[in-house]
Amino acid sequence: MRILVLGGTRFVGRVFVEEALAQGHQVTTFNRGQTGHDVPGVAAVRGDRENRSDLLSLVQGREWDWVVDTSGYVPQVVGNAARLLSDRASAYVFLSTISVYLGWPAEPVNEDSDVYDCPPDAPGTAEDEANWSAAQYGAYKAGCERAVQEAFEGAVTVLRPGVILGPQENVGRLTWWLRRIAQGGRVLAPGQPTKPIQPIDIRDLTAFTLSCLQHTTTGVFNVTAPQGHATFGVMLEACCRVTGSKAEFTWVDDEFLVEQDVRQWTEIPLWRTPEGTWAVDSTKATAAGLTCRPIADTVRDTYTWLKESSGPSAYDRQSHHGLAKERERKLLNVWDRRYSRDIVP
């Protein structure tokens, strides 16, 4: 297939490009060349999707079977590009997010759950995306979905992943846990070890995306690991094994962490208390061919990549993730005093 990837130099886009090339597809990438390096073997076109003249240069004399958009955030910008590309490609894959759901993470969601009502021409720039609120991020992604669907008139695959982990992760979630646990000592672990989690490995997301292209599968899909696939405890124990750490986990109640104003989702990566956080229905994607590897494999391969590479590419969100060592120590001290008081006869 001839595939145009909007983005394609870091994490999600890069892993997709690498696998698409490995399968023998012809890949063109379109990006500014400012946040990563081109994958060898692509036809790289430099340009800014916010610049119409750059888009016109991109489409001049080129056609593709599919567009795969891994870097769309602003509805107006996404729509402008999609309309130009609608005459040059047969179909469009848009990488969205479960954050489009109004009820998430407070409640379980499926593809029929209500999404934010954002117009497909909402203006703005993606420069400040890393600093958007969750609501703005989700609303704008919903607007982007509408913009693409209008431009391609139904020949669209919308993928709504939750947390994406694996080699080349640049957000700082699993990579932070691996580095912290590798340091050893006493580690604050949030909530209960039996807490279910549903992160998806980037390679499984990539395989599903390519399967959709190959089988001309369109529609909207939540793309997460199935419910019951893994737990927080299994993930952290896997981090211990692969790093060879003798870290000692102290599991601290959710209520205590909330009381201490620990920032959910970021200060302790992947920890969040709302009941819908890890209650995303992905049975539709499973029926369409999505398969997910064990979390232990994701942990192992991510650590191998960390050791063998220079680490994640620069990304503003990295600085938002992780519990400072002094903060961790103070929280554990307060927890110890609280726990000791509670068990005194």
Side-chain angles (χ1 to χ4, degrees), residues 4-68:
L4 169 65
V5 177
L6 302 179
T9 60
R10 62 183 185 184
F11 196 29
V12 176
R14 187 176 189 86
V15 173
F16 175 84
V17 168
E18 289 173 344
E19 182 59 25
L21 288 171
Q23 292 188 17
H25 303 299
Q26 301 173 35
V27 181
T28 303
T29 57
F30 178 70
N31 56 65
R32 297 174 300 172
Q34 297 178 1
T35 57
H37 302 289
D38 296 318
V39 177
V42 302
V45 180
R46 290 284 178 261
D48 188 334
R49 65 192 297 165
E50 297 183 13
N51 186 314
R52 182 173 174 80
S53 63
D54 287 352
L55 290 170
L56 289 172
S57 295
L58 169 67
V59 301
Q60 185 65 38
R62 298 185 178 95
E63 292 185 348
W64 302 274
D65 300 304
W66 283 87
V67 177
V68 176

Side-chain angles (χ1 to χ4, degrees), residues 122-135:
T125 175
E127 289 299 324
D128 296 325
E129 175 266 328
N131 297 313
W132 286 349
S133 68

